[in-house]
Amino acid sequence: MLKLEGLTTTFGKTCAVQDVSLSIPAGQFVGVIGRSGAGKSTLLRTINRLAEPTSGRVIWRDADMTGVSGSQLRDWRRRCSMVFQQFNLVGRLDVLNNVLMGRLTQTPFWRAVTKTWSSEDRALAFAALDQFDISGLASQRADQLSGGQQQRVAICRALMQDPEIILADEPVASLDPRNTGIVMDALALVNRQFGLTVLCNLHSLDLARGYCDRLVGMANGRVVFDGTPAALTDAAARELYGMDADEVIGPDRAAKPPVA
Ligand SMILES: Nc1ncnc2c1ncn2[C@@H]1O[C@H](COP(=O)(O)OP(=O)(O)OP(=O)(O)O)[C@@H](O)[C@H]1O
């Protein structure tokens, strides 16, 4: 269970995350939705301490992760890997070495520098690539891949950390519809087959409804919706997105009289 208790993160006068309390059972696929600037990214970054909470607590398996530092913080970040919108691969390195970078926290530094990974790590990396049908790309430079391929490599790298939680920050925002489906299917596989908890920020309501067990809607840093996709009616979504609703949900046909 991941528990957020009164989590608040401020940047100067901006309160990006305000008093967020959530209990997320292990293995849940949670979609975090809301307008741009609602605090979705900051929430994910606060969970793994890329952003420091101003107050409140992050609790994982009954242990408080808010105050940990040094090796305990590194271990926490290993256990909750991030997947980013821009993939964050090393473009000039091949796919295999990018994936192996996920082992850095568990590997002596010299192995990474000299690219002499253990045969066990290499086998794990190939197995991860194989899961997502991209083992054939192992020797290609990362910057020669399509966005969807790069994001699958990034997911493999995240898995190499042997995480318990995946924090995916707009993982499909840079992808075309076909690659969006492939990457969302990869995250669903990570969730269902490997049993990892997934928290995923999404702009598309259709994707959020289609892939997630639970939706957390944010507005102005606060949680204003928390329920199943079925509970997020168009009316509730309109309230969440305010003036952006037409763009996200489509025009409100019910509110407009039919054209004579
Ligand atoms: N490092 C930072 N320094 C200052 N302000 C920040 C920082 N990060 C986020 N903010 C502010 O915090 C608020 C929430 O931003 P955040 O990126 O978390 O929202 P979001 O819902 O993820 O938006 P988007 O969907 O556009 O990525 C915004 O007002 C943003 O400008």
Side-chain angles (χ1 to χ4, degrees), residues 9-12 14-17 33-45 51 85 169-170 201-203 218 221:
T9 306
T10 55
F11 300 108
T14 306
C15 198
V17 171
I33 55 174
R35 292 168 69 174
S36 183
K40 307 179 297 294
S41 284
T42 307
L43 180 68
L44 261 54
R45 295 168 72 83
Q85 176 181 343
D169 193 5
E170 306 280 3
N201 291 351
L202 288 166
H203 268 295
M218 293 186 73

Side-chain angles (χ1 to χ4, degrees), residues 158-193:
L159 290 177
M160 290 294 283
Q161 288 183 214
D162 196 15
E164 291 159 296
I165 302 172
I166 297 281
L167 303 170
D169 193 5
E170 306 280 3
V172 293
S174 314
L175 304 179
D176 60 32
R178 185 177 156 272
N179 278 306
T180 291
I182 291 172
V183 167
M184 288 306 297
D185 286 348
L187 286 172
L189 185 82
V190 163
N191 172 248
R192 312 249 148 82
Q193 193 154 316

Side-chain angles (χ1 to χ4, degrees), residues 72 75 114 179 231:
Q72 281 181 307
D75 186 55
T114 55
N179 278 306

Side-chain angles (χ1 to χ4, degrees), residues 58-176:
V58 176
I59 295 169
W60 174 244
R61 298 194 191 282
D62 296 325
D64 187 357
M65 294 300 147
T66 330
V68 296
S69 58
S71 63
Q72 281 181 307
L73 177 57
R74 282 194 294 280
D75 186 55
W76 171 231
R77 288 191 175 141
R78 177 194 66 72
R79 292 160 79 180
C80 54
S81 321
M82 280 207 80
V83 172
F84 300 92
Q85 176 181 343
Q86 294 304 337
F87 327 126
N88 292 11
L89 301 179
V90 183
R92 66 188 161 71
L93 274 187
D94 64 31
V95 163
L96 185 66
N97 275 290
N98 267 286
V99 173
L100 284 162
M101 288 294 171
R103 292 306 275 180
L104 271 181
T105 49
Q106 295 115 295
T107 307
F109 182 63
W110 65 266
R111 275 203 191 275
V113 172
T114 55
K115 294 191 203 157
T116 46
W117 303 94
S118 70
S119 51
E120 190 195 11
D121 283 346
R122 292 170 71 85
L124 274 175
F126 269 112
L129 288 166
D130 213 27
Q131 282 283 342
F132 302 106
D133 295 327
I134 47 174
S135 54
L137 302 175
S139 59
Q140 281 207 34
R141 272 174 68 124
D143 56 10
Q144 290 171 351
L145 307 182
S146 73
Q149 289 168 334
Q150 288 195 51
Q151 194 60 294
R152 277 179 286 165
V153 173
I155 292 170
C156 290
R157 180 184 57 188
L159 290 177
M160 290 294 283
Q161 288 183 214
D162 196 15
E164 291 159 296
I165 302 172
I166 297 281
L167 303 170
D169 193 5
E170 306 280 3
V172 293
S174 314
L175 304 179
D176 60 32

